[in-house]
Amino acid sequence: MIWYLLQRVLQAVFVVWAAYTLTFTVLFMLPSDPVAIMLGTASGGETTGIDPAQIAALRAEYGFDQPVIVQYLTMLGDALRGDFGQSILTGARVAERIATELPHTLALGGLALVLAVTLGFTVGMLSIYPRKRVVRSALTALPPLGIAVPSFWLGILLIQQVSFGWGLLPATGNEGFASLVLPALTMAVPTGAILAQVFAASLRVTLAEPYIDVVRAKGASRARIFYGHAIRNATLPTMTLVGLLVGNLVGGAAIAETIFGRSGIGRLTVQAVSNQDIPMVQGVVMLAAVTTVTVTLLVDLIYPLIDPRVRTRAAAQ
Amino acid sequence: MSKLTTAAQDATPSADPAPGAPRPYRFPKPVRRASTALATVVLVMILGWAFLPEMFATHDPVAGVPTEKLQPPGEEHWFGTDNLGRDIYSRVVHGSALSLQAALIAVLVASTAGSLIGLLAGYLRGWVDDVLMRMVDVAIAVPGMVLSLAIVTALGFGTVNVAVAVGLAGVTTFARVMRAEVLRVTTAQYVEAAVVCGVRRWAVLARHVLPNALGPVVVLAALEFGTAILSVSALSFLGFGAAPPTPEWGNIISEGRNYLATAGWMTTLPGAIVVVVVLAANRFARILERPVRSEQ
């Protein structure tokens, strides 16, 4: 068990390191020149006619004059100590900016996750459980719709209806729980739709298992079969989706925070991309990668605790 | 772990319930036929918009009439007009070419690169498989949207760059599906027979493995098309797609953001078109899926 644990943790560390290398390659090898971008913003868009000595000085200051491998190793060493360099736009430390914005996005993402799970399980359950066909078919049709709706458009509709139409919740802002509801809902719908589909399919498979027949033969009621026996086993496969869902939320935050004018990691990312602020983008990508890897690792470690079959098989190997 | 993955696969919507299961509710045949017909109509119409925008548009998509600005939908302007007096319906029609092209490029990039990786990994096995699939694992660790944003930062803005970024973010899915299919097909008896008969390795791959592994990849490509429309328009909405006067579905919706309270039609109707197109595309993917599923 300890070996298994160690192996999984090492794997996770490897993936994070490789993700860092991947983003370094993508961001620093491709044609954009950070120094040109920096000077472009500093002098209001004029990149021509700048003193070459000034360019050289900036290159030296940021280390861009070093060979690529030296740049890579220096930055990797800094990153290990939690230093992701500074924004080429504002000069702010990347790690500090991310730390300031993170709480906003954590609150938003947390609520979105709760909403997504609630929506997903409720809709998935109700597309199987009810006896009335009309109800089932109506609820089966919901997830494909949720998947087809662009989340930015959904957010706009929510603002139009709930904020402007009914005047219920604030359309923009960072203050209080009320301002969290609409953006969280915007993020939760596409994620919840996927979850609903997977859960419904898993419920169908579970209900076909022989042990359900045994339970039915023993005279258990419909509700007892569902709540007492089917749901718990049907929930297991959805656990493997959790990493994906959390990753989706990080991307969703970029859209939700932009539409609802909230500050947070998503907004920071969009600003960084707009200004081609490469160190900032890299910081955010690494945050997303570490989050997904950690969540996936946790799920993998918790899974054997929930499902004894995985545990016994691992022991047998 | 293998049990884990099969359990996850069983749970995907494409999984067939075991015999004797309570049958998942299927819409009655006429309804299904009607929805298929509707999806066909939608897709044919959108393709018409993309290829012959002049025929379908009622006004100029870029030049506005300032005196007719912010008019609600009506007989003259079907989707209303925007803050510059441009006809929104005509902008949506002219924007479909770019938006569909971008989605198509994204799917082509993802399916070509992903299939190649999956094919090599699944067929050669050994260290090639290890290296390629570890790389896929790494790419999966970065959420698709974030990866697309990073690639757009590096490539620069514009429709094609956005399309390539969305495509690259989708490579991993294709690589995994293709690899699984190749692994399944290579164990088949006809492949063994071909090998025993002395057919060369790469000929087996081209003649027997690839054609038989392609089905699920084609279905995935069809499904990814709808997703790509959404991702591309999301990036365009954030301002990383085509530069302003050029219409794209994403930036048309984004332009209406400042007029939500006064001119809701600027965002509502173009967005509804995107939803309808994605629903129709996904419907078609499901139709493609049926023969592939029954074959397995």
Side-chain angles (χ1 to χ4, degrees), chain B residues 163-174:
Chain B
V164 171
V166 170
L168 287 177
V171 166
T172 50
T173 330
F174 282 92

Side-chain angles (χ1 to χ4, degrees), chain A residues 137 153 160 201 204 276 292 313, chain B residues 3-4 11 24-25 141 153 264 267:
Chain A
S137 59
W153 184 63
Q160 270 174 359
R204 276 188 206 116
Q276 293 195 288
T292 343
R313 215 180 19 258
Chain B
K3 180 71 181 212
L4 252 178
Y25 182 72
T153 315
T267 49

Side-chain angles (χ1 to χ4, degrees), chain A residues 97-204:
Chain A
R97 280 286 285 150
I98 289 181
T100 350
E101 300 292 352
L102 194 56
H104 298 292
T105 304
L106 276 183
L108 182 61
L111 183 61
L113 196 62
V114 171
L115 284 177
V117 169
T118 317
L119 268 176
F121 279 88
T122 315
V123 172
M125 173 78 192
L126 290 181
S127 63
I128 305 275
Y129 184 66
R131 284 171 196 271
K132 276 203 192 313
R133 276 195 160 188
V134 191
V135 180
R136 284 208 309 264
S137 59
L139 281 151
T140 312
L142 268 186
L145 188 67
I147 287 168
V149 169
S151 63
F152 55 94
W153 184 63
L154 180 69
I156 286 175
L157 285 191
L158 285 175
I159 293 183
Q160 270 174 359
Q161 270 312 311
V162 183
S163 303
F164 296 160
W166 305 331
L168 280 181
L169 292 161
T172 54
N174 263 335
E175 298 310 309
F177 181 76
S179 74
L180 274 177
V181 178
L182 291 183
L185 196 60
T186 307
M187 287 160 70
V189 166
T191 330
I194 298 175
L195 198 58
Q197 281 191 328
V198 172
F199 182 57
S202 165
L203 254 180
R204 276 188 206 116

Side-chain angles (χ1 to χ4, degrees), chain A residues 42-62:
Chain A
S43 56
E46 285 270 321
T47 40
T48 46
I50 294 166
D51 186 8
Q54 196 192 342
I55 296 181
L58 262 173
R59 274 187 199 289
E61 188 191 332
Y62 282 85

Side-chain angles (χ1 to χ4, degrees), chain B residues 129-154:
Chain B
D129 189 17
D130 286 342
V131 170
L132 288 176
M133 290 333 273
R134 278 297 89 73
M135 280 167 70
V136 166
D137 285 347
V138 171
I140 286 173
V142 183
M145 179 78 179
V146 178
L147 189 57
S148 299
L149 284 171
I151 297 171
V152 161
T153 315

Side-chain angles (χ1 to χ4, degrees), chain B residues 136-192:
Chain B
V136 166
D137 285 347
V138 171
I140 286 173
V142 183
M145 179 78 179
V146 178
L147 189 57
S148 299
L149 284 171
I151 297 171
V152 161
T153 315
L155 291 178
F157 305 151
T159 311
V160 175
N161 289 348
V162 160
V164 171
V166 170
L168 287 177
V171 166
T172 50
T173 330
F174 282 92
R176 286 195 150 181
V177 170
M178 187 53 135
R179 178 175 175 273
E181 276 309 298
V182 170
L183 288 181
R184 187 180 65 84
V185 171
T186 41
T187 57
Q189 284 188 340
Y190 56 84
V191 173
E192 254 175 66

Side-chain angles (χ1 to χ4, degrees), chain B:
Chain B
M1 193 61 205
S2 68
K3 180 71 181 212
L4 252 178
T5 40
T6 46
Q9 275 158 5
D10 285 345
T12 52
S14 62
D16 268 336
R23 285 194 64 76
Y25 182 72
R26 300 287 287 271
F27 288 100
K29 268 231 166 92
V31 175
R32 270 191 280 157
R33 256 185 234 140
S35 72
T36 309
L38 202 65
T40 317
V41 170
V42 167
L43 289 183
V44 167
M45 191 183 71
I46 295 297
L47 285 178
W49 286 8
F51 283 104
L52 302 162
E54 289 82 12
M55 238 185 81
F56 291 91
T58 52
H59 295 75
D60 189 297
V62 179
V65 184
T67 48
E68 292 179 7
K69 67 173 185 180
L70 297 177
Q71 285 185 0
E75 246 172 67
E76 174 65 18
H77 300 287
W78 297 347
F79 286 10
T81 60
D82 66 7
N83 53 318
L84 300 173
R86 298 177 295 195
D87 182 60
I88 291 170
Y89 166 71
S90 302
R91 281 180 70 70
V92 172
V93 170
H94 277 269
S96 31
L98 270 187
S99 301
L100 291 187
Q101 258 171 38
L104 197 66
I105 294 174
V107 172
L108 283 179
V109 167
S111 57
T112 317
S115 304
L116 201 65
I117 293 175
L119 200 63
L120 290 177
Y123 195 60
L124 296 178
R125 310 292 299 274
W127 66 269
V128 179
D129 189 17
D130 286 342
V131 170
L132 288 176
M133 290 333 273
R134 278 297 89 73
M135 280 167 70
V136 166
D137 285 347
V138 171
I140 286 173
V142 183
M145 179 78 179
V146 178
L147 189 57
S148 299
L149 284 171
I151 297 171
V152 161
T153 315
L155 291 178
F157 305 151
T159 311
V160 175
N161 289 348
V162 160
V164 171
V166 170
L168 287 177
V171 166
T172 50
T173 330
F174 282 92
R176 286 195 150 181
V177 170
M178 187 53 135
R179 178 175 175 273
E181 276 309 298
V182 170
L183 288 181
R184 187 180 65 84
V185 171
T186 41
T187 57
Q189 284 188 340
Y190 56 84
V191 173
E192 254 175 66
V195 173
V196 170
C197 289
V199 181
R200 260 170 298 155
R201 212 169 173 210
W202 294 105
V204 173
L205 179 66
R207 224 174 292 154
H208 301 286
V209 177
L210 186 59
N212 288 298
L214 219 50
V217 178
V218 172
V219 173
L220 182 65
L223 268 179
E224 279 286 310
F225 187 71
T227 321
I229 292 179
L230 291 179
S231 312
V232 165
S233 51
L235 289 174
S236 162
F237 175 82
L238 291 174
F240 307 135
T246 315
E248 249 179 6
W249 290 344
N251 66 14
I252 295 173
I253 296 172
S254 156
E255 279 158 13
R257 276 181 56 207
N258 295 331
Y259 302 90
L260 288 186
T262 49
W265 58 85
M266 279 179 69
T267 49
T268 321
L269 296 173
I273 294 291
V274 178
V275 175
V276 170
V277 172
V278 175
L279 276 176
N282 288 349
R283 174 80 208 148
F284 256 84
R286 291 284 169 223
I287 296 170
L288 282 179
E289 197 174 17
R290 231 166 275 149
V292 173
R293 219 199 292 176
S294 59
E295 192 187 284
Q296 286 177 352

Side-chain angles (χ1 to χ4, degrees), chain A residues 211-221 229:
Chain A
Y211 81 88
I212 293 289
D213 289 338
V214 174
V215 174
R216 193 174 288 128
K218 284 166 102 178
S221 68
H229 298 274

